[in-house]
Amino acid sequence: MTSPITQSGSISSEIRSRENSSRENGVDVVVVGAGIAGLVAARKLHADGYTVEVLEARERVGGRLLSHRRAAGDAEAALDLGATWFWPGEDRIAALITELGIRTHAHFLEGDAIYHDPDGSSRIEGNPMDVPSGRFTDGAQSLTTAIANDLPAETLLLASPVSALRFADGSATERTVTVEHATGTTKCSHVIVALPPALFTSTVDVSPGLSDRVRGVAEITPVWMGAIAKVIAIFDSPFWRESGLAGSAISHFGPMREIHDMSGPDGSPAVLFGFVSLTETSNAPSEAEVRNQFAELFGPAAPAPIEVVIADWRAETYTSPVGVERLGAYQAFGHDLYQQPDLDGRLHWASTETSPVNPGHIEGALVAAERAVAAIVQSLPKPTLQGTNS
Ligand SMILES: Cc1cc2nc3c(=O)[nH]c(=O)nc-3n(C[C@H](O)[C@H](O)[C@H](O)COP(=O)(O)OP(=O)(O)OC[C@H]3O[C@@H](n4cnc5c(N)ncnc54)[C@H](O)[C@@H]3O)c2cc1C
């Protein structure tokens, strides 16, 4: 079965949404986007006593952290349709995992890889496709669900896409920014833009506009994985391991160009995933094409997937702007202009693309969120008591 991405990854019922919000007194900070960057920034600001509102366009949190939930025996498995791994040396993600009590396990590496080209598939000794990394046992989205569930109910508004930011004259400590969104308006002193810069410039009206240089960089900054389809295939058992295969493959034929094991900690559920690069002339594959490729890789006698899910990130309007596959200026990642606020110090960048360290990774989103929060704390007097400054 092929599931539309929007139906995957159910969210906790504890995450609330409100209708018709217009906070009369406003808040210190509005965070646009409840991906990992936006939520981590909101968590820190709230802990420091600032009033915060997180406005999220989708009816779920997590952004590019999205876990497809399905029954696995008596339990439930959460299979990642977005981010899969974290790596050694990513200290912020390691600290967050510990702080939130997130379950993890090591990525499966053992065995040989498969090489696939138009002539067929062959075995490569060893596994050059994978490096040691960690996996989120309950899905990467468990990070954002845990943070969202910890925030006070009034802090997070789902299904509230932001359409405009109006900056009036005034200091960075006054509530001079009006944020227009689908469920109302909110006044604030600072805004954190926690969505990909190119998506922001193409979907949110800013007045007065961003400075020309900043807009120029934002418009060309690629969206990490925005032009990718991720395919997950669930099997009855990790049959490839029985013949000494790691489940990894490199393909010069496609549609999946690289494939990795994404099974649970003990091989259950048994899952492989693949990446498909989307271009101006190619679209996400059909389920039949995916099934054919698995048969070519492992041979026609190999077990077929019991379920296939294809997540087309280019089709996600709250991740990828139109024409995302044409954005190739990766040198704009972590650009100097993102390291300082724009519009008199009141607009702060916080998506992973704006981080000079590990841009594209979850770790990069955490670095960017940290920088945005630090700039706000520096310019907005710290509240003496939590919640007394609204
Ligand atoms: C297929 C895939 C595989 C990946 N694999 C890995 C991996 O293995 N390891 C890793 O570290 N990283 C990986 N990544 C990248 C990782 O997912 C991102 O770095 C991270 O999730 C980015 O977080 P973010 O908060 O910066 O942005 P996002 O997650 O994109 O969050 C932005 C949020 O803003 C919301 N939004 C958009 N427009 C508006 C609007 N107008 N108003 C309000 N809200 C809005 C969106 O709905 C979204 O919730 C992968 C990504 C994909 C797609």
Side-chain angles (χ1 to χ4, degrees):
M1 183 189 75
T2 307
S3 305
I5 191 170
T6 44
Q7 287 178 12
S8 304
S10 65
I11 58 167
S12 162
S13 59
E14 288 176 49
I15 297 174
R16 297 123 309 219
S17 74
R18 287 191 284 125
E19 290 177 0
N20 296 325
S21 147
S22 282
R23 286 210 195 171
E24 278 181 17
N25 297 327
V27 292
D28 295 323
V29 183
V30 162
V31 178
V32 186
I36 186 74
L39 286 171
V40 162
R43 176 185 178 82
K44 175 72 175 124
L45 288 165
H46 172 68
D48 285 353
Y50 293 96
T51 50
V52 185
E53 186 161 88
V54 184
L55 298 168
E56 167 54 47
R58 290 176 165 108
E59 292 184 353
R60 64 169 180 85
V61 298
R64 281 170 277 176
L65 306 187
L66 175 64
S67 309
H68 170 66
R69 307 188 87 83
R70 72 185 301 277
D74 295 338
E76 193 182 51
L79 307 176
D80 282 317
L81 293 170
T84 317
W85 299 296
F86 58 95
W87 291 274
E90 295 189 330
D91 296 338
R92 289 169 185 80
I93 187 70
L96 190 64
I97 285 167
T98 305
E99 190 184 328
L100 297 174
I102 298 291
R103 295 198 303 152
T104 65
H105 61 277
H107 176 66
F108 183 80
L109 292 168
E110 292 153 39
D112 295 336
I114 291 176
Y115 179 83
H116 180 223
D117 66 15
D119 295 330
S121 71
S122 54
R123 195 169 178 133
I124 310 172
E125 200 180 326
N127 179 12
M129 297 292 298
D130 287 313
V131 295
S133 61
R135 295 261 322 282
F136 304 95
T137 308
D138 300 308
Q141 201 177 0
S142 61
L143 288 166
T144 42
T145 301
I147 298 172
N149 283 336
D150 269 358
L151 288 170
E154 68 277 12
T155 307
L156 173 61
L157 269 75
L158 300 178
S160 303
V162 169
S163 53
L165 305 178
R166 313 272 174 230
F167 290 79
D169 287 340
S171 77
T173 58
E174 292 170 303
R175 289 182 174 154
T176 52
V177 190
T178 304
V179 181
E180 297 177 9
H181 51 94
T183 44
T185 58
T186 306
K187 285 198 179 298
C188 61
S189 306
H190 291 257
V191 179
I192 295 181
V193 174
L195 62 148
L199 180 66
F200 176 70
T201 54
S202 67
T203 54
V204 180
D205 183 36
V206 182
S207 63
L210 296 169
S211 52
D212 287 347
R213 285 184 68 217
V214 172
R215 171 169 283 277
V217 171
E219 282 174 346
I220 61 164
T221 302
V223 177
W224 183 249
M225 294 289 186
I228 287 283
K230 181 171 173 181
V231 176
I232 62 174
I234 302 142
F235 297 84
D236 268 332
S237 71
F239 65 88
W240 55 92
R241 295 185 186 182
E242 285 154 27
S243 46
L245 289 170
S248 62
I250 184 158
S251 174
H252 293 286
F253 191 43
M256 295 176 281
R257 297 293 167 152
E258 56 177 277
I259 290 172
H260 306 269
D261 188 313
M262 204 182 79
S263 305
D266 52 359
S268 171
V271 183
L272 296 175
F273 86 85
F275 287 131
V276 181
S277 296
L278 308 175
T279 67
E280 285 175 80
T281 54
S282 69
N283 292 315
S286 66
E287 181 172 336
E289 288 172 308
V290 167
R291 288 180 177 277
N292 281 345
Q293 189 176 1
F294 279 118
E296 281 169 18
L297 286 168
F298 295 105
I306 53 174
E307 184 183 350
V308 171
V309 183
I310 301 168
D312 180 349
W313 285 95
R314 182 170 64 176
E316 287 289 300
T317 51
Y318 293 124
T319 296
S320 298
V322 173
V324 68
E325 67 281 349
R326 292 194 293 273
L327 298 174
Y330 285 91
Q331 68 275 16
F333 274 7
H335 197 284
D336 285 351
L337 290 171
Y338 293 133
Q339 311 314 312
Q340 55 216 359
D342 198 19
L343 288 160
D344 293 330
R346 292 173 291 171
L347 182 145
H348 307 261
W349 300 97
S351 81
T352 187
E353 285 79 8
T354 69
S355 170
V357 181
N358 296 115
H361 291 184
I362 301 170
E363 181 78 1
L366 302 182
V367 172
E370 215 172 78
R371 185 236 312 121
V373 168
I376 290 172
V377 168
Q378 205 179 8
S379 70
L380 199 58
K382 204 148 186 156
T384 46
L385 280 176
Q386 184 162 326
T388 56
N389 63 341
S390 60

